[in-house]
Amino acid sequence: MKSFREELWFETSTRRAYLNITEQVRQAVRRSGVQEGLALVNAMHITASVYINDDEPGLLKDYKDYDEFLERVVPQAARYRHNDTGEDNGDAHVKRQLMGREVVVAITGGRLDFGPWEQIFYGEFDGRRRKRVLVKVIGE
Amino acid sequence: MKSFREELWFETSTRRAYLNITEQVRQAVRRSGVQEGLALVNAMHITASVYINDDEPGLLKDYKDYDEFLERVVPQAARYRHNDTGEDNGDAHVKRQLMGREVVVAITGGRLDFGPWEQIFYGEFDGRRRKRVLVKVIGE
Amino acid sequence: MKSFREELWFETSTRRAYLNITEQVRQAVRRSGVQEGLALVNAMHITASVYINDDEPGLLKDYKDYDEFLERVVPQAARYRHNDTGEDNGDAHVKRQLMGREVVVAITGGRLDFGPWEQIFYGEFDGRRRKRVLVKVIGE
């Protein structure tokens, strides 16, 4: 069994951001040399997500749909007990929970085994600082 | 290490549907010959989910609870920027995100290692066309 | 390839509870002897979650943020068709879906490969009875 590990680093200029990281993950899988296996891709911080969405031309609109939904059900400006400690990111840990921490992707024939429109995204809910995503690959 | 891959295809007659696919996954795991390992089961489309629920007699009611919840927080008829392109499934990609893309299930002794009530479901949020689920098994 | 399986049992005294189970998972991973691989940690019941959150001093406040969010969007006292059968946990299966069933964690050098604040939690939404979490480890 082979295993491989790589960290991807991100620093967004806005509090919330949605980045397509498919190409970085694809390169990590290539470097792993794994032909058949699984790739785990997870945010290493509790205020960020890794999820799968499509990447059609509507994407810029799509991420606004996500953002508007998240702000509607978990507004950043609402009161959170978490913020009693002086922080202002109480919303971010709920938003990340709704969007998910991780994806597990099949590797077949050395490639991400995706449907026609699947792409991997990093969702940032408390940005403006350096944060990490872990790519862990196991297989053969 | 063994690996195995199979696609399951679905076409629902309604826009939204919730199907128990446990038996299909069970057969795929059997065909894989894996005794100890992991099975990844994921929707290959961004407007569908794979998730685990129970299958008691209340199931027909349960899925309506999910459906009513999803329609309440992400109504199909609301305005989504995604739909500016002429599509009408903007709600589906948010609904799928809340229900999740995938499950990872342990395989022990050649079987799905489940609690007493766990069953695997396919959640469709933009149906009436053929769509796929991927089953990827790795182990020994 | 090595594989390892262990069940963790919980019985909370309240209907809803949020328990840090990182140390139990860490010990299971140690017992597995796996140095490089993946650990799947999943609730074996449909009314409970396993998820990752941080464990700063604000934690007691954080879980109340989760709880207040969940009660706001899926109130326990609302009407659920599931409850027509005489049960009262219709909310729990929706809450668990929002918080997730499982986490998959990388194992590197024999340890949980975590970001600085990641901790594993058991979320109970219909407690006051014995329920299980599965830890399945595969790797080498």
Side-chain angles (χ1 to χ4, degrees):
Chain A
M1 203 200 76
K2 275 183 187 167
S3 72
F4 177 86
R5 174 194 197 279
E6 190 169 301
E7 290 179 3
L8 310 176
W9 287 82
F10 301 98
E11 180 169 1
T12 64
S13 59
T14 50
R15 176 186 290 267
R16 293 195 303 279
Y18 306 84
L19 311 176
N20 188 334
I21 63 171
T22 313
E23 192 48 39
Q24 286 105 305
V25 175
R26 194 166 274 144
Q27 288 172 18
V29 168
R30 206 173 292 138
R31 277 192 283 278
S32 76
V34 167
Q35 294 296 304
E36 295 294 323
L38 296 177
L40 166 69
V41 188
N42 69 265
M44 298 184 80
H45 299 257
I46 187 60
T47 50
S49 287
V50 171
Y51 64 94
I52 285 179
N53 193 3
D54 55 5
D55 196 22
E56 12 181 0
L59 171 73
L60 291 178
K61 297 173 187 285
D62 280 3
Y63 86 69
K64 280 186 190 140
D65 283 337
Y66 278 133
D67 199 66
E68 284 175 9
F69 167 75
L70 292 169
E71 267 295 286
R72 178 159 54 80
V73 299
V74 194
Q76 196 261 321
R79 187 182 173 276
Y80 299 92
R81 291 161 192 262
H82 178 84
N83 294 351
D84 292 350
T85 59
E87 297 205 62
D88 66 353
N89 64 359
D91 64 312
H93 72 151
V94 183
K95 285 179 166 118
R96 114 73 176 255
Q97 202 56 34
L98 295 180
M99 293 298 280
R101 166 187 180 257
E102 77 213 12
V103 295
V104 177
V105 182
I107 300 171
T108 302
R111 303 166 76 101
L112 296 171
D113 195 336
F114 269 161
W117 305 106
E118 289 186 284
Q119 300 273 308
I120 306 175
F121 288 82
Y122 175 68
E124 173 64 83
F125 307 112
D126 183 32
R128 298 175 295 192
R129 53 197 172 98
R130 275 166 60 75
K131 290 163 78 172
R132 280 179 291 165
V133 164
L134 177 65
V135 182
K136 181 87 180 189
V137 181
I138 70 166
E140 246 173 12
Chain B
M1 204 200 75
K2 274 183 185 165
S3 72
F4 177 86
R5 174 194 198 279
E6 190 168 302
E7 290 179 4
L8 310 176
W9 287 82
F10 301 98
E11 180 169 0
T12 65
S13 59
T14 50
R15 176 186 289 269
R16 294 196 302 280
Y18 305 84
L19 312 176
N20 188 334
I21 63 171
T22 313
E23 192 48 38
Q24 288 105 305
V25 175
R26 194 167 276 142
Q27 287 171 19
V29 168
R30 207 174 293 138
R31 278 192 283 276
S32 76
V34 167
Q35 294 295 305
E36 297 293 323
L38 296 177
L40 166 69
V41 189
N42 69 265
M44 298 184 82
H45 299 257
I46 187 60
T47 50
S49 287
V50 171
Y51 64 95
I52 285 180
N53 193 2
D54 56 5
D55 196 21
E56 12 181 1
L59 172 73
L60 290 178
K61 296 173 189 285
D62 280 5
Y63 85 68
K64 281 186 190 139
D65 283 338
Y66 278 134
D67 199 66
E68 284 175 8
F69 167 75
L70 292 169
E71 266 295 286
R72 179 160 52 82
V73 298
V74 195
Q76 196 261 321
R79 186 183 173 276
Y80 299 93
R81 291 161 192 261
H82 178 83
N83 294 352
D84 292 350
T85 59
E87 298 206 61
D88 66 352
N89 64 358
D91 64 311
H93 72 151
V94 182
K95 285 179 166 117
R96 114 73 176 255
Q97 202 57 35
L98 295 180
M99 293 298 280
R101 165 187 180 257
E102 76 212 12
V103 295
V104 178
V105 182
I107 300 171
T108 303
R111 304 166 75 101
L112 296 171
D113 194 337
F114 268 161
W117 304 107
E118 289 186 284
Q119 301 273 307
I120 306 175
F121 288 82
Y122 175 68
E124 174 64 81
F125 307 112
D126 183 32
R128 300 175 293 190
R129 52 196 172 99
R130 275 167 60 75
K131 290 162 78 173
R132 281 179 290 166
V133 164
L134 177 65
V135 181
K136 181 87 182 189
V137 181
I138 70 165
E140 245 173 15
Chain C
M1 204 200 74
K2 275 183 187 166
S3 71
F4 177 86
R5 175 194 197 278
E6 191 168 300
E7 290 179 4
L8 309 175
W9 286 82
F10 301 98
E11 181 170 2
T12 64
S13 58
T14 49
R15 177 187 289 267
R16 294 195 302 280
Y18 305 84
L19 311 176
N20 187 333
I21 63 171
T22 313
E23 192 49 38
Q24 287 105 305
V25 176
R26 194 166 274 142
Q27 287 171 19
V29 168
R30 206 174 291 137
R31 277 192 285 276
S32 76
V34 167
Q35 294 296 305
E36 297 293 324
L38 296 177
L40 166 68
V41 189
N42 70 266
M44 298 183 80
H45 299 257
I46 186 62
T47 50
S49 287
V50 171
Y51 64 94
I52 285 180
N53 193 3
D54 55 5
D55 196 19
E56 13 181 358
L59 172 74
L60 290 179
K61 296 172 188 286
D62 280 4
Y63 86 68
K64 280 184 191 144
D65 283 337
Y66 278 133
D67 199 66
E68 284 176 8
F69 166 76
L70 292 169
E71 268 294 286
R72 178 159 53 81
V73 299
V74 194
Q76 196 261 320
R79 186 183 173 277
Y80 299 93
R81 290 161 193 262
H82 178 84
N83 293 352
D84 292 350
T85 59
E87 298 205 64
D88 67 352
N89 64 358
D91 64 311
H93 73 151
V94 183
K95 285 179 166 119
R96 113 74 175 256
Q97 202 56 35
L98 295 180
M99 293 298 279
R101 167 188 180 255
E102 75 211 14
V103 295
V104 178
V105 182
I107 301 172
T108 302
R111 304 165 75 101
L112 296 170
D113 194 337
F114 268 161
W117 304 106
E118 288 186 285
Q119 301 273 308
I120 305 174
F121 287 83
Y122 175 68
E124 174 64 83
F125 307 111
D126 183 32
R128 299 175 294 191
R129 52 196 173 99
R130 276 166 58 76
K131 290 163 78 173
R132 282 179 290 165
V133 164
L134 177 64
V135 182
K136 181 86 181 189
V137 181
I138 70 166
E140 246 175 12

